[in-house]
Amino acid sequence: MSHEHRPKRNFKLVLEYDGSQYHGWQRQQGVLTIQEVLESQLEVMLGGAIGVRASGRTDAGVHARGQVVNFYSRTALRVEEIHRGLNSLLPPDIVVLHVEEVPDSFHARFSAVSKTYEYHILNRVVPSALERGFAWHIRRTLSVEPVLECLEMLRGCHDFSAFMGAGSSVNSTERHIYRAELEHRAADLLVFVFEANGFLRHMVRNLVGTLVEVGVGKRTPHEFSSIMVSRNRCRAGMTAPAHGLYLIAVHYESDDRSL
């Protein structure tokens, strides 16, 4: 059967990548991006221009353990062949974890019901030679109790205008946060975990920057609460560095999350 007469198929990919060397997800003129690299290698493998749709854009320097994308193709290749072929073509800092064929209606972004992000903080006096591109180094010991108090305030549906990056155009600044937690993964590794039905531009990094200020005693939980209510970005803390942020997972109605 000729290529143009084959049925159109919809493929879902789950990607892991180290964002250190890339100018974020979205294709941009004059800089290297994850989307450009992925689309160019799909074009090599499938023999034609392929447009990939992602669950959302990650900024320059942000990492992913579970970015989801989808694309359409009339290829005759099996899922296993696409998976193996792509990983042989992609650079070592971008890996396809999973490939599956999905219904035509599946859209990586619009079909998503929630996303989980993590933010990693190395909390010790000395920096790390190995983790310097993967965690924000904070020298001062973070006081966990007031941070946990603030995380409690974040859960539920709120207006997060105070934590939205500039240059963002959205219909609504309300988001529903299902999880807002702080985990002690190792003696000196603190990990913020956020799951929500969506995130505003720079929202996680702006939240973390403000929460760290609470943790080092620059702000109180009461002040954090008043920042939320103010809806004023100028009152919140700094934007945490991109290299501590990870897109961990994108969740869909069809997912079995009981495991």
Side-chain angles (χ1 to χ4, degrees), residues 87-226:
N87 278 334
S88 70
L89 290 168
L90 288 168
D93 53 6
I94 305 175
V95 172
V96 180
L97 298 177
H98 179 73
V99 182
E100 65 178 296
E101 196 167 345
V102 289
D104 191 60
S105 60
F106 177 85
H107 189 295
R109 179 181 169 199
F110 298 126
S111 301
V113 292
S114 69
K115 294 180 190 172
T116 301
Y117 278 92
E118 287 183 358
Y119 195 95
H120 291 210
I121 290 177
L122 184 71
N123 194 204
R124 68 186 196 192
V125 174
V126 295
S128 168
L130 299 177
E131 297 298 323
R132 70 188 187 281
F134 302 100
W136 183 17
H137 176 224
I138 303 286
R139 293 172 56 89
R140 292 172 61 182
T141 302
L142 293 181
S143 182
V144 171
E145 286 306 316
V147 173
L148 294 178
E149 200 176 323
C150 295
L151 290 173
E152 186 74 39
M153 299 174 200
L154 293 175
R155 296 180 197 122
C157 191
H158 305 283
D159 187 318
F160 287 99
S161 302
F163 303 102
M164 180 173 67
S168 181
S169 56
V170 290
N171 293 328
S172 170
T173 49
E174 284 192 359
R175 296 293 183 271
H176 193 119
I177 291 189
Y178 307 116
R179 289 178 69 194
E181 298 166 3
L182 180 61
E183 299 180 358
H184 228 126
R185 296 267 175 95
D188 49 19
L189 179 64
L190 293 170
V191 177
F192 285 98
V193 183
F194 298 98
E195 182 185 351
N197 64 349
F199 292 89
L200 302 169
R201 179 175 166 82
H202 295 165
M203 177 173 153
V204 174
R205 290 166 59 195
N206 291 338
L207 280 170
V208 170
T210 313
L211 289 164
V212 163
E213 291 186 0
V214 172
V216 298
K218 285 186 179 178
R219 299 178 191 263
T220 65
H222 178 73
E223 288 172 305
F224 185 88
S225 175
S226 69

